[in-house]
Amino acid sequence: MSDVEVGYGRTSVIHGVTIEVPPDGVVAVMGHNGAGKTTLLRAAVGLLPTRSGRILLDGEDVTGTAPHKRVRRGLAYVPQGQQSFGQMTTMENLQVVADGRTGGGALVDEALDLFPALRSLLGRRAGLLSGGQRQQLAIARALITRPRMLILDEPTEGIQPSVVAEIEQAILDLTRRGGLSVLLVEQHVGFALDAAGHYYVLASGRVTAEGTGGTGSVTDVRSAMAI
């Protein structure tokens, strides 16, 4: 996205933000609540219109493209909140996405290989899963669409540390395979810096800092978040 401005009504929330996600790379956007992170993602997915700037997917301008058409072009979005179809089983949650897709069974198996803990829960209703298990299910379901760009909004929120580590490993495994870029929005600074090759810090709807993941100072990032 390039020089994007987004708002609600007369109020601007995102002010001239530029973020680039390289092919097969992980980019993290960090910031406190109210920084504008989710608003930025909703614009990227097409759920909110941009007032100015451009949204590019694989070099194609999709700024005015409807959300379902962005999905067809390879965009997948896992919103905040471990969302699932609570009355359906884990397997049914996966199958509803896989049905009608070429090689749907194989796609389900690939997703379960990334999150093997779900295999023992395939017959359990999703509403009875823990928060971490529902988050793994939500990501696995998105991956069945074979996206080129995966957008994750606060995937570690309210999740136990052991599952956070599993999600981080799955993200790294995915990008190592190639063919997938990940845009990760996070407040968990340590996780974001470990998972991402590059990071941006958002405060009051503006990028206040950016740097290389893994080598970034947690203290410096938190200072930028506070601006």
Side-chain angles (χ1 to χ4, degrees):
M1 55 185 66
S2 176
D3 201 24
V4 168
E5 183 175 343
V6 187
Y8 300 92
R10 296 181 178 180
T11 303
S12 290
V13 177
I14 300 298
H15 310 276
V17 167
T18 296
I19 290 174
E20 181 178 356
V21 183
D24 306 335
V26 181
V27 167
V29 176
M30 293 175 280
H32 291 305
N33 287 334
K37 305 185 303 298
T38 295
T39 297
L40 186 69
L41 293 192
R42 288 174 62 81
V45 177
L47 297 173
L48 280 176
T50 59
R51 294 180 172 178
S52 61
R54 296 191 304 158
I55 307 290
L56 304 176
L57 180 61
D58 280 350
E60 296 181 35
D61 191 337
V62 296
T63 307
T65 304
H68 70 278
K69 292 183 179 180
R70 300 188 197 198
V71 171
R72 289 177 187 167
R73 294 189 184 188
L75 186 65
Y77 176 44
V78 180
Q80 189 175 7
Q82 303 111 37
Q83 297 184 13
S84 63
F85 300 106
Q87 296 302 311
M88 297 170 63
T89 66
T90 298
M91 186 61 185
E92 288 168 343
N93 267 268
L94 298 172
Q95 201 64 52
V96 75
V97 181
D99 283 349
R101 295 182 181 274
T102 302
L107 293 173
V108 170
D109 282 338
E110 288 178 14
L112 291 172
D113 285 343
L114 281 168
F115 300 109
L118 293 177
R119 289 192 180 276
S120 64
L121 303 168
L122 292 178
R124 184 176 299 181
R125 286 187 181 181
L128 300 178
L129 301 179
S130 70
Q133 292 163 346
R134 288 197 305 274
Q135 187 63 279
Q136 290 176 318
L137 175 58
I139 297 172
R141 196 171 57 222
L143 292 172
I144 291 173
T145 67
R146 282 279 176 91
R148 291 179 291 167
M149 167 73 75
L150 176 64
I151 297 179
L152 302 174
D153 190 0
E154 303 279 9
T156 69
E157 182 184 35
I159 295 177
Q160 59 269 39
S162 61
V163 178
V164 170
E166 292 173 11
I167 291 174
E168 179 184 341
Q169 188 58 53
I171 291 171
L172 295 175
D173 288 346
L174 284 167
T175 54
R176 289 190 189 112
R177 293 179 187 180
L180 179 70
S181 301
V182 178
L183 177 57
L184 168 69
V185 158
E186 258 299 331
Q187 289 191 66
H188 190 311
V189 175
F191 168 78
L193 290 177
D194 286 343
H198 197 85
Y199 70 84
Y200 297 85
V201 176
L202 203 64
S204 300
R206 292 179 170 84
V207 172
T208 57
E210 64 177 288
T212 302
T215 61
S217 164
V218 172
T219 300
D220 289 346
V221 169
R222 286 178 174 160
S223 296
M225 288 170 62
I227 293 175

